[in-house]
Amino acid sequence: MVPVQRLFFSAFGFVFILLFSSFPLKAQMVFTGQILDLRSERTFGETGQKWSFRPGDSSVIPNGGSSVEDIEYGSAEPILFANAQVQLSEQSRTGWISGFSIQTAWDKVKDGDGEIYFPDFASYFQKYKGYGWYRAEIKISEEDLKTRFKSRYLTLRLGQISQADAVYWNGKFIGGTGLSLDTPKDTVLEDKSLYSDKTRFYRIPVGQVKTEEPNVLAVRVFAKYPLSPGLSHDKFYISSLRYSERAEYWNDFKKIFVIVLTVLLGSFYLYWQFLFRKDEHATIYFSLGSFFMAVNTLFQSQIIYSILNDGFWIKKVEYASWIALVHFLFNFVVQFAKVHKGWIRRTNYIVDVLGVVAFATVFVLPDLYSLSQFFFYWSFVTVVLGLALCYVLFLGRKVPSMGTVSFGIFIMISLLLNDIFVEMQWDWYPAHTFMKDYAFAGFSISVALSIIRNMVESRKLVEKQREEKDRLSRYFSPEVMETIVNDKIKLGGEERYIATLFSDIVGFTTFSEKNPPGVVLDHLNAIFESLSELIFHYSATLDKFIGDAIMAFWGAPKRTDLDAYNAIACAVEMQKKMVQINQELGLAPGTFRLRIGVNFGEAIVGNIGSVKRMDYTVIGDAVNTAARLESHGVPGKVAVSEAAYLAAGGDKYIKYEESKELMLKGKAEPVKVYFVTEVLPRS
């Protein structure tokens, strides 16, 4: 495990331990002294705000007030509810339940005898039309304004309320979500007006904050479906306007971070696929999963509410993107782990079909409740996929970077389980805050670490391949070297027209007899290095060194119309180069000279030998003829066969001092030979 992974694991372990160290507490811990916590129980068992709850809607006070102009609601006739007033009338005082927990759905709150107050939501909705009221008295002192808030501009933060609300501070309407200041009594809202996951921030008018007497906070809530009704999730507190803005920025930043990170990772993986992994599908699945993760995060963020004003469709897109995300990530892990067993492929196919069906079903469900119920039961499919992933990860444990990806999946599953427990509101579970943002970020970071690791490994592979090429370039021509590196070699050959060149150093044997072996080797290497560069310059395949001789050919692996021309041009340049080499070695002119023979004809080219030891070369009569031309040649001259002469363009490009017919070994008839001195330029 790399140091970065250890650091990440340590940080996650610390958060995990810290979370469960608060096991006895029933409220989410808040590590700040700048807020007034409104939950029924505070951190470390301190006494919190006392809340009361009354089922049903409120009676209305006649002639409540004049028309109100508001930038959000426009012109509206305010309805003054009796339950929102600072002083309750005799009629409104009855029916309130004191000590009501605001972090538990009202259909889960128990009385002193352990009995649930409202166990049957359907009966509650039929009797009370889904409405309920919360009230609390909040004490704020001048000292609080000076030291805790450090401001008179205060904001009320209400966590995720299911499913609509309107808020009153000291009898004055300060904001609502789904419910407005003129929503009539007992109105049944449409599903698009239900916002279960929106975090509420409401500014408290400066003139409405009392320091001499308690402030009265009244919240009118509406729940159409049994989906954690009431004030049942997340943090509830009062803070300064500046603090709440920072909290909003932080919430938005978390979402934007995940969105940007996943989009970048998805795009990078597509780019990675385009460059390096054209035959693998893992990168495609991860890219698509990343894009749907970004969509899912956007539709869970507070940002989406300023774009789309339809809570029902927000949930539809959120659930659909989550279904797509789970299936694409499952496919990503299966492909990444390189698990290709038959039953896994068939299971994966069935899972994909179910995913497509579930994705389409989300968009045709008629109401929020059926949508939520469907998603709840489909979540068990996610659990099954999670268990299957554990087995897939085990099968692919030897795949590079699988450990990093597995660690990220572990983080994501652990934090998603937190969200499930929060949604279920089980008494034994202490947390009340969703962690999905951190789950996505943790998984994305782990995959980013795997990408970095793959990039490092790929870099090492590229460097190793470059070193291998450098090493092979000393033994093979560039074309043959590329063929070897790309692993395209196979035993066998084919017939091609090949231009073959043989050269031999005249005078080298005599030089070897008179000089030490070290000097002989240094001079031979210097000669071969200079001649090899020239041969490669003319795009030849340098076949081999045979003692002090060189064999090269043109026409394989790549064939051009200038093969014969290039072979003769190279031979002429080699003769000129030999004169220069004598000078560079400090030898007398003519100490070393070359005999060169060039022929053009049909030969067999390919990998000759055995599977374990092969040689890329050419064989055939045309090759033997080139070797005979070299042995019968004249030192310092280039002997070119008539076939090569004509293939190179004849007297239009090739100049020679003489031509003669020679009887070569193995030939029944004499071969016409041209002793070439110059090759004219050719386009």
Side-chain angles (χ1 to χ4, degrees), residues 93-390:
R93 288 179 183 177
T94 59
W96 289 90
I97 304 172
S98 62
F100 207 84
S101 175
I102 64 168
Q103 281 200 288
T104 305
W106 77 48
D107 58 358
K108 293 182 180 291
V109 176
K110 298 178 181 179
D111 59 19
D113 297 328
E115 298 293 331
I116 297 178
Y117 280 109
F118 310 106
D120 187 354
F121 182 84
S123 300
Y124 183 97
F125 187 84
Q126 183 178 12
K127 183 177 181 180
Y128 300 113
K129 307 300 182 184
Y131 282 88
W133 281 80
Y134 290 88
R135 279 177 67 93
E137 291 187 353
I138 301 169
K139 295 179 180 180
I140 300 176
S141 66
E142 286 289 343
E143 186 65 22
D144 289 332
L145 295 177
K146 292 179 181 179
T147 60
R148 173 177 291 182
F149 302 127
K150 299 178 182 179
S151 173
R152 289 186 176 274
Y153 297 93
L154 304 182
T155 299
L156 171 67
R157 183 197 194 274
L158 299 181
Q160 297 172 351
I161 301 175
S162 183
Q163 293 132 34
D165 66 282
V167 181
Y168 298 82
W169 181 268
N170 290 330
K172 180 178 176 60
F173 177 82
I174 62 172
T177 302
L179 296 174
S180 64
L181 79 169
D182 60 341
T183 302
K185 179 182 176 182
D186 294 336
T187 300
V188 178
L189 301 179
E190 297 180 5
D191 284 23
K192 68 177 182 179
S193 299
L194 307 180
Y195 298 90
S196 300
D197 297 331
K198 183 178 180 181
T199 301
R200 279 73 160 170
F201 286 93
Y202 301 127
R203 294 186 61 179
I204 303 173
V206 175
Q208 293 293 319
V209 178
K210 299 178 181 180
T211 57
E212 303 297 330
E213 56 184 301
N215 297 270
V216 175
L217 172 62
V219 184
R220 181 192 185 199
V221 293
F222 169 77
K224 191 175 182 180
Y225 304 110
L227 305 173
S228 300
L231 283 66
S232 56
H233 290 92
D234 210 3
K235 306 182 185 77
F236 299 82
Y237 60 77
I238 295 174
S239 67
S240 67
L241 177 60
R242 181 178 301 176
Y243 182 93
S244 66
E245 288 177 344
R246 288 201 303 266
E248 287 186 86
Y249 291 150
W250 170 242
N251 289 333
D252 291 342
F253 172 78
K254 289 188 297 182
K255 300 291 186 180
I256 293 173
F257 172 77
V258 174
I259 292 170
V260 173
L261 179 62
T262 51
V263 169
L264 287 178
L265 285 176
S267 302
F268 181 82
Y269 252 58
L270 282 180
Y271 179 69
W272 187 272
Q273 159 80 10
F274 177 76
L275 287 182
F276 302 110
R277 303 185 178 185
K278 295 183 179 179
D279 297 329
E280 295 187 12
H281 301 293
T283 50
I284 294 294
Y285 287 126
F286 181 79
S287 297
L288 295 175
S290 296
F291 296 141
F292 276 104
M293 184 185 293
V295 173
N296 182 267
T297 304
L298 173 62
F299 275 78
Q300 290 185 66
S301 70
Q302 305 304 306
I303 305 169
I304 191 63
Y305 297 106
S306 61
I307 302 173
L308 187 63
N309 191 27
D310 190 323
F312 187 34
W313 268 94
I314 289 175
K315 298 302 292 184
K316 280 190 173 184
V317 177
E318 176 192 335
Y319 289 161
S321 59
W322 176 252
I323 292 171
L325 161 65
V326 168
H327 285 275
F328 279 124
L329 288 186
F330 180 79
N331 279 277
F332 159 70
V333 175
V334 171
Q335 294 292 328
F336 190 84
K338 300 185 184 302
V339 178
H340 302 297
K341 292 186 177 182
W343 70 270
I344 291 181
R345 283 202 306 269
R346 290 191 294 272
T347 303
N348 199 17
Y349 176 77
I350 295 173
V351 169
D352 289 341
V353 172
L354 291 176
V356 172
V357 173
F359 185 87
T361 303
V362 165
F363 290 100
V364 299
L365 291 173
D367 56 67
L368 181 62
Y369 183 68
S370 58
L371 175 66
S372 299
Q373 288 296 101
F374 172 79
F375 189 73
F376 172 77
Y377 289 112
W378 181 88
S379 298
F380 289 102
V381 176
T382 306
V383 174
V384 174
L385 291 181
L387 296 175
L389 274 185
C390 295

Side-chain angles (χ1 to χ4, degrees), residues 490-496 603-609 616-617 619:
K490 59 181 179 179
L491 198 63
E494 59 179 330
E495 292 185 355
R496 285 194 184 187
I604 296 176
V605 59
N607 296 297
I608 313 299
Y616 187 80
T617 187
I619 59 175

